[in-house]
Amino acid sequence: MRWTLACATMLAALITTSAGSSALAADAGEVNIYSYRQPYLIDPLLKEFSDETGIKTNVIFASKGLIERIQAEGRNSPADLVLTVDIGNLSQAVAAGITQPVKSEKIDASIPASYRGANDEWIGLTRRARVVYASKDRVAENSITYEELADPKWRGKICIRSGQHSYNVALVASMIAHLGPEKTEAWLRGVKANLARKPAGDDRLQVKGVYAGECDLAVGNTYYMGKMLTDEKHPEQKEWANSVKMLFPNTDGRGTHVNVSGAVLAKYAPNKDNAVKLIEFLASDTGQHMYAEVNHEYPTKEGVPWSKLVQSWGTFKADEISLNEIADLRKAASEMIDKVGFDDGPSS
């Protein structure tokens, strides 16, 4: 990717800060953030951080391309850290060579090793479980396993987004870790045969498919239930959400697959100390509580209470497998998804 001076100038104009500034000055009182996470979630956290520390936050929000941008900027990159979702994006940043280890006793004490990179090159800040949304009217079962999604009794009754979406790649990687490649491929072919339609849309649209009677089961992340139930701008989504019950697969066995959102410290961070302070804040009781309340995600720090809405979904056992192992298996998972032609749909 080539970045011209004109392009850099234009992008700099898009930068927002907690103080309303549009500069990326690299002095001791600032920290520069590239964020894939949405402003409505991040802004309250950054304001609280600035109020507590006096450190000004400068943020670029984007839906894609930030890792590539930091690569192109090289040693001249103003980025101090990247906030992103999914172990896939976190491991991609590490593989791209744009990160450095985060050395902090506070973070090590707050975030379990299973939610940190092998060398602390990424830090998990929130958790989300990959669950099954089941029709309240048409599904009698109140428990399920991922393996059961391949049972022929669900033929034509499952909705899911693209197999190549990072959330599903991580799920398939977890299946490879537990079952091995041969059994996982057979399972994936079984799930494909049970699809009601070609994979498409986001997790919310899979729940809509259950509401509309197009399928009986949908696979999605827990926090989408929170988004739908609290989305005042789209009240129809509350109807979708209220038509389903949430099943936490394998909670009576190895546990439900869990993914994370998190942060990486940029390799050439000009404000490294302030960036580490920000990650420490996001991993603190205050930061974790705000994450839980705003986005209805599960904190990665033990002992921080879930939001009341999340508590209403009940408890579950999380799969304890390290996300570092999941990251290592993502390539094999992606190749397997293509091999079985998952995104071609059930009739292919």
Side-chain angles (χ1 to χ4, degrees):
M1 181 180 296
R2 296 182 179 178
W3 293 90
T4 65
L5 179 60
C7 182
T9 301
M10 179 185 69
L11 287 168
L14 298 178
I15 296 166
T16 62
T17 77
S18 61
S21 171
S22 62
L24 271 180
D27 60 53
E30 295 189 334
V31 59
N32 304 323
I33 305 151
Y34 286 12
S35 178
Y36 285 121
R37 305 228 65 183
Q38 298 179 27
Y40 83 91
L41 171 62
I42 298 303
D43 284 345
L45 288 146
L46 298 183
K47 182 180 185 303
E48 183 68 23
F49 170 72
S50 293
D51 288 346
E52 286 192 11
T53 65
I55 298 170
K56 184 170 63 174
T57 59
N58 307 307
V59 194
I60 293 175
F61 293 101
S63 60
K64 59 183 178 180
L66 293 177
I67 293 173
E68 293 82 359
R69 175 176 177 173
I70 294 175
Q71 280 184 304
E73 291 169 338
R75 291 179 178 273
N76 296 319
S77 177
D80 291 310
L81 60 85
V82 179
L83 297 176
T84 187
V85 295
D86 180 68
I87 184 58
N89 290 318
L90 293 167
S91 59
Q92 179 190 351
V94 175
I98 67 163
T99 69
Q100 61 174 302
V102 181
K103 301 301 182 184
S104 166
E105 293 182 0
K106 290 182 179 179
I107 293 172
D108 290 349
S110 294
I111 308 300
S114 58
Y115 299 125
R116 305 197 310 266
N119 298 307
D120 289 326
E121 63 269 45
W122 58 263
I123 306 297
L125 296 171
T126 67
R127 302 180 297 155
R128 61 280 301 277
R130 198 83 177 134
V131 298
V132 173
Y133 291 102
S135 169
K136 290 179 178 178
D137 294 333
R138 301 185 299 276
V139 176
E141 288 85 349
N142 290 312
S143 65
I144 199 167
T145 65
Y146 294 114
E147 287 83 349
E148 287 178 282
L149 295 177
D151 190 318
K153 74 177 182 180
W154 300 115
R155 190 62 50 87
K157 295 183 178 180
I158 297 176
C159 287
I160 193 170
R161 74 195 303 167
S162 170
Q164 287 295 357
H165 189 277
S166 57
Y167 297 156
N168 286 331
V169 172
L171 174 60
V172 174
S174 76
M175 298 298 287
I176 294 174
H178 288 294
L179 304 180
E182 291 185 6
K183 289 184 178 179
T184 300
E185 182 176 332
W187 168 79
L188 194 58
R189 292 186 185 278
V191 176
K192 175 188 174 184
N194 287 344
L195 296 180
R197 62 187 185 196
K198 291 180 66 172
D202 63 11
D203 284 1
R204 273 175 281 201
L205 289 182
Q206 313 315 312
V207 177
K208 180 183 179 182
V210 177
Y211 169 79
E214 191 173 2
C215 43
D216 289 349
L217 304 178
V219 178
N221 281 351
T222 44
Y223 71 94
Y224 280 97
M225 176 64 82
K227 286 178 176 289
M228 289 184 288
L229 289 174
T230 59
D231 191 342
E232 299 300 332
K233 294 182 179 180
H234 303 92
E236 70 279 5
Q237 293 190 10
K238 293 184 180 181
E239 294 185 46
W240 305 350
N242 285 321
S243 74
V244 301
K245 53 188 175 182
M246 198 153 43
L247 308 181
F248 291 86
N250 299 79
T251 198
D252 293 328
R254 67 175 180 270
T256 299
H257 169 62
V258 169
N259 210 320
V260 292
S261 73
V264 297
L265 179 62
K267 185 175 183 178
Y268 301 112
N271 304 292
K272 177 180 176 180
D273 290 345
N274 286 346
V276 172
K277 288 178 182 178
L278 175 55
I279 299 174
E280 289 175 342
F281 169 79
L282 296 176
S284 70
D285 285 352
T286 299
Q288 292 283 286
H289 178 74
M290 291 183 71
Y291 267 128
E293 291 296 327
V294 173
N295 210 37
H296 304 294
E297 294 177 286
Y298 297 96
T300 49
K301 182 177 183 180
E302 296 294 336
V304 176
W306 304 348
S307 72
K308 290 184 178 179
L309 177 58
V310 171
Q311 290 180 41
S312 73
W313 304 337
T315 60
F316 71 100
K317 177 182 176 182
D319 190 345
E320 295 182 354
I321 191 170
S322 171
L323 286 176
N324 291 294
E325 185 174 351
I326 300 298
D328 290 342
L329 290 169
R330 289 185 73 258
K331 183 175 184 293
S334 179
E335 291 173 349
M336 184 181 293
I337 291 165
D338 276 348
K339 180 181 178 181
V340 305
F342 191 84
D343 283 354
D344 293 333
S347 60
S348 61

